[in-house]
Amino acid sequence: MLSFQSSKNVLSLTEDLLVRIYELLAAESDRKSFRLVCREFRRIDTLTRRHLRVIRIEFLPILLRKYPRLQSLDLSACPRIDDGVVSLLLTRVGPGSNSPILGHWAWGLKSLVLSRATGLRFSGLEMLARACPCLESVDVSYCCGFGDREAAALSSAVGLRELNMDKCLQLTDVGLAKIAVGCSKLEKLSLKWCMEMTDLGIDLLCKKCVDLKYLDVSYLKVTNESLHSIASLLKLEVLGLMACPLIDDVGLQFIERGCPSLKVIDVSRCEGVSSSGLIFVVRGHRNLRELNAGYCLSELSTALLHQMKNLNHLEVIRIDGARISETSFQVISANCKSLVEIGLSKCLGVTNMGIMRLVSACINLRVLNLTCCHSITDAAISAIAYSCRSLVCLKVESCNMITEKGLCQLGSFCLLLEEIDLTDCCGVNDKGLEYLSRCSELSCLKLGLCTNISNKGLSYICFNCLKIHELDLYRCTGIGDDGLEALSNGCKKLRKLNLSYCNEVSDRGLGYIGRLEELSDLEMRALHKITGVGLEAVAVGCKRLADLDMKHCEKVGDSGFWALAYYSKNLRQINLSYCGISDMALCMVMGNLSRLQEAKLVHLSNCTVEGVELALRACCVRIKKVKLFAPLRFMLSSEILEILHARGCIIRWD
Amino acid sequence: MSSGILEVPKGASFTKFNTQHQQKWEDPSSTSDYSTRIEPPFQAFNQTSQTQSLLLCNNQIKVPMQDGSVNDLLQASKIQDWDPSAMLNNLSFLGQKIHQLQDLVYLIIGRKGQVLGRPDELLVQQQQLVTADLTSIIVQLISTAGGLLPSVKQTLSAATTSLGQCGEFGGVVFPSSAQGLNDGVQPQNAGGSKVSEPPNSVDITSNNGNEQSNHIIEEHELKDEEDAEEGENLLPGTYEILQLEKEEILAPHTHFCTICGKGFKRDANLRMHMRGHGDEYKTPGALAKPTKESSSEPTIIKRYSCPYAGCKRNKDHKKFQPLKTILCVKNHYKRTHCDKSYICSRCNTKKFSVIADLKTHEKHCGKDKWLCSCGTTFSRKDKLFGHITLFQGHTPAIPSDEIKAAPAGTSDGATNKVGSVNFNLSYVSSESEVQSSSMDIKGGIDDAVGYFSPLSFDTCNFGGFHEFPRPPFDDSESSFAFLLSRSCNYSQKSGEE
């Protein structure tokens, strides 16, 4: 963070120098500090800012007026946006009635993220598409109401190059045809979970949008016909076919002969695909960079292995769930020397010897996933650590035989390690953590179910790994308040923390948690010692808290919930099941938390039906998903249920 | 132009069919004759002599019944129909030819083994010879088969020009005379029967060069004759152009009873009607189709012109394309130059001028739910997508009723939303006076008594608030009262719906 002793120094800097300094600030929090320094700095911020992610829709008009040079606008955090808001934003007349700011912000906009904006319909989208002539990228993923009419509205943005329509459940071939004809320059398109899509739509798309480089049709019920069409795309580089149940080896034969630019293919979880299908793909594309075939192979056959010898440029391979022999590792390591990532999750036949052979040649490996490879021991880990010095991510969940010796090697050689998953590795102890703490770049550490670690071990990590932003201590019963104290002193950047079932944690521990200003996700199920005091400390301290799970925290009283309702303004998801919250507090929480989208409210023993009803009434305008106790279905008034339904809220009855 | 001209081709074309039909009605023994005509492929396996005797027997029966000219004509057409001896000749010739070719190829193979890779002029010549021979064999084989199969006729007509050039086989394959040819060349009229059409079109066209070849097609396609003739290349002057007047084209009847004056669309119907006027009209001769006057001299091909000036089908047009039959003229004139008076009773949008078109449409009307932006409808989704693939800029149209339905369902909610947001935004813009203004606006917007009724403030205890200092990042929306009131506002309104 910058600090200026004298105002003269600040003023002596010219504008272009300030802009340069500003551009060097990477973290959003640093930029925030920068613009809070003085008016001049704030002016620099408004002039140079290109990207804006809006958290609260109420500020949108002011922000858009303040930042006229926006190129990228992210509205995914305000799902309440609807057609009315859009029309106001675009036609809004400023204080001087004929001011030139009429929708001015939209002119330069290139990227627009409208993910989860379920309120936005075709009229709003049409206005947006017309107002933003330079629009190149749009994300409408998870807009459940996005259908053909919306697609038609969006298709008037002719310059569109990237479009994400994941989980637009209403979208059919007709809508896709609108997009394909209207936006013929499309290069990147994602259609995951658009379940209405058929071969006809994909065929038309491939004929109209010949510039496509990235196409994701994962989870669609498309058949080999679609692959036949896709094979005609000359520029296609990335093809996602994850979990397409109807495609099989015959379809992949088309891919063998087509798609000359193909670099990445994902056929994971495709039931119909076998190794012969993959042989087709590999035979046709010697320049393949990434092959994702998780959970579709029963075995890595020798025929496939023989073809894979030619993939000299292969960087990523994932064959999760397949049976693999020791000799296969030898072949892979001898031929695919540029491998960067290997996924062997739940593979059978992964042994120490195999891993040793693999890593002996693949020295550039950065990501290695060995989840549930139970026969791995310290010998393999040592070999990995010794060979792959640039390892960034290692996942060894459920590898019970790993002990401090393996971690010692990792701590000695893999100093670039950023992410390690040691969930359910009983062999990890305090000593092991001490060795591991030498990896000072560590940002994500998962220690769930490691019952042998204590506060001491955690404190080593907290002392050395200051960059940690995700820590999982699920059921680490040895961790108590002292460990959390160390955590709050060291890992100031922590964003995600799981403390569920760490029974020793009390109010004092949560007090330390409250010092973590960056914390956004907190899971603390079944902490029986904590009360309202602890929750209050968290609510007051963790201003960015967005996701809170406190199921089974029975001792927390109303005072804690009052505090939560009052301070945790950014809360988006909350789980209050089995909590002792009262009617009044529930009403306050649900009514006052203006960003709340999802709530789980099961088994609230101190709440009455009227209380739940009132709470739902208080939040019905913004809530998107709510889980309720099943018998309430017949006790709540039909009026409130209708309102929730009309607002697009999904109710799950438990 | 008078209707007299109209009569000429019709009478001529009826002659042949008429006699044949009559023959069949009267003589049960001629059913065998019928079978030979209908199923020529089976005949190929029969004894040649047997067939010939059958034919002979038929002729004998016919002779006493018909006058000389008709008999001649019949005989000619018989021979032309299918001649097994000619076929046998043909096949044996083909066999010889193939054997010769086989020998030649053997020779070439032998040479190749001796002098490998040497570019030999002789070899090249032999290769050309082989290909030429093969081509001729193929063409001949097709034509031989085509004589038997009526269904192959159309494809054959294209190949016949090259057949004509082959020349050397002409005499062997096609023993037909010019006299027989003329029967087939007659323009068909509406009453033309398919049964009587001889399967010898190949022979005709091959001998007459490119004079005329497509006449069979027009009979099969009563509706699309305008398109079917696009490929026809008749040289100007090689055919006679007839032009009917508008009134004639649009007249409902073309045949009138000379006694009572009643009009009929078909000549056959008129003849049936005539029976009522006396016994003299009941004789087989009177009921028979009017015969051609003379089929010995080659008939001039007749083509029709549309009377509408400026039409492409009008003879004065630069790129004049003649119409083939009177039916073509009628349909063309009605479709192109008349009002579309027949409206589909189901969709009330599609209009037609030819009633047959309306009937065709009505079969599919209502099934066409796939609509293109250009207005074309399709009964199948894949057809629509094929159309969109073909045409630049066309997109599938989303049915208009959906547009109306969608806002209607949510209109209340939508206006409600806009209202609330509007309120919200204006509220935000006056940031400086956040707290004070919130109550004012709220009061000003809605004075309804029951405004707060679902969630009265009395039930909420705000006392707890005082325990906490105001949060440092307080924003404009933090007012609990404001929030609750707005949400209640919504529920209140939707409750009224």
Side-chain angles (χ1 to χ4, degrees), chain A residues 149 173 178 566 614 622, chain B residues 381 396 398 403 455 465 483:
Chain A
R149 196 164 301 287
D173 289 336
K178 286 272 184 198
Y566 201 66
L614 281 177
R622 70 185 84 90
Chain B
K381 189 178 169 188
I398 297 159
I403 302 175
L455 192 67
F465 266 129
L483 255 170

Side-chain angles (χ1 to χ4, degrees), chain A residues 56 58-59 61 80 82 85 149 173 178 181 204 207-208 566-567 584 588 591 594 614 622 643 647, chain B residues 381 388-389 395-396 398 402-403 417 421 428 455 459 465 468-469 473 475 477 480 483 486 490:
Chain A
R56 283 164 187 273
E58 309 84 62
F59 299 121
R80 281 161 62 203
D82 58 24
V85 176
R149 196 164 301 287
D173 289 336
K178 286 272 184 198
V181 173
L204 186 76
K207 281 179 179 143
K208 295 285 180 185
Y566 201 66
Y567 291 106
M584 207 60 67
M588 281 297 290
S594 57
L614 281 177
R622 70 185 84 90
I643 292 169
R647 282 277 173 176
Chain B
K381 189 178 169 188
I388 287 163
T389 314
T395 60
I398 297 159
E402 223 174 279
I403 302 175
K417 266 190 259 175
V421 170
V428 171
L455 192 67
T459 58
F465 266 129
F468 311 109
F473 55 98
D475 61 49
E477 220 196 359
F480 186 47
L483 255 170
R486 215 178 61 200
Y490 178 77

Side-chain angles (χ1 to χ4, degrees), chain A residues 14-77:
Chain A
T14 58
E15 190 174 290
D16 56 326
L17 281 175
L18 282 174
V19 169
R20 284 225 174 160
I21 293 169
Y22 177 82
E23 280 167 351
L24 289 173
L25 299 173
E28 188 51 44
S29 56
D30 292 346
R31 292 194 170 196
K32 187 178 179 183
S33 309
F34 179 89
R35 66 174 169 266
L36 289 175
V37 171
C38 64
R39 264 174 206 280
E40 177 64 12
F41 278 30
R42 208 174 90 170
R43 200 177 64 82
I44 296 295
D45 177 61
T46 58
L47 283 178
T48 37
R49 193 169 180 129
R50 296 280 181 273
H51 174 76
L52 184 65
R53 183 168 189 265
V54 184
I55 307 286
R56 283 164 187 273
I57 197 169
E58 309 84 62
F59 299 121
L60 197 51
I62 303 164
L63 286 170
L64 291 178
R65 218 178 324 148
K66 234 162 94 180
Y67 297 106
R69 301 197 179 174
L70 280 184
Q71 288 184 350
S72 161
L73 180 62
D74 186 347
L75 297 173
S76 60

Side-chain angles (χ1 to χ4, degrees), chain B residues 182-328:
Chain B
N182 295 331
D183 304 345
V185 187
Q186 301 306 328
Q188 303 299 320
N189 66 0
S193 118
K194 285 180 197 177
V195 180
S196 54
E197 185 63 33
N200 56 2
S201 64
V202 182
D203 308 6
I204 299 159
T205 45
S206 66
N207 282 358
N208 283 12
N210 59 355
E211 183 190 31
Q212 199 271 338
S213 60
N214 289 350
H215 73 279
I216 295 150
I217 299 165
E218 67 192 45
E219 205 183 355
H220 298 282
E221 296 169 310
L222 284 169
K223 284 196 62 177
D224 297 322
E225 62 288 310
E226 287 183 39
D227 304 322
E229 68 175 329
E230 289 297 336
E232 189 185 50
N233 289 319
L234 283 177
L235 290 172
T238 56
Y239 53 89
E240 184 186 353
I241 299 170
L242 307 176
Q243 185 169 299
L244 309 183
E245 290 305 319
K246 183 188 164 192
E247 290 73 25
E248 264 181 294
I249 292 170
L250 296 179
H253 306 300
T254 45
H255 305 275
F256 295 93
C257 176
T258 46
I259 297 164
C260 65
K262 191 176 179 190
F264 295 93
K265 280 180 184 171
R266 292 167 198 271
D267 183 49
N269 291 350
L270 172 62
R271 274 179 275 131
M272 291 297 144
H273 162 82
M274 291 304 278
R275 289 181 305 177
H277 286 301
D279 283 342
E280 66 266 34
Y281 298 106
K282 288 179 182 171
T283 60
L287 281 171
K289 276 187 183 179
T291 53
K292 277 175 274 185
E293 283 90 44
S294 66
S295 48
S296 55
E297 56 193 67
T299 320
I300 305 160
I301 302 169
K302 293 192 176 63
R303 285 293 178 266
Y304 297 86
S305 160
C306 170
Y308 195 91
C311 174
K312 202 180 178 183
R313 303 295 191 173
N314 184 276
K315 58 188 172 188
D316 298 328
H317 193 274
K318 256 188 274 176
K319 294 176 179 174
F320 171 56
Q321 283 192 321
L323 293 153
K324 270 181 199 147
T325 65
I326 294 167
L327 192 73
C328 293

Side-chain angles (χ1 to χ4, degrees), chain A residues 506-525:
Chain A
S506 70
D507 284 343
R508 184 168 69 91
L510 287 192
Y512 299 125
I513 298 294
R515 294 188 200 164
L516 299 167
E517 292 190 358
E518 302 275 321
L519 197 69
S520 65
D521 283 43
L522 178 60
E523 197 178 316
M524 44 177 214
R525 286 187 180 181

Side-chain angles (χ1 to χ4, degrees), chain A residues 128-139:
Chain A
L128 275 174
R130 275 164 206 248
C132 310
C134 305
L135 210 56
E136 285 181 1
S137 165
V138 172
D139 184 348

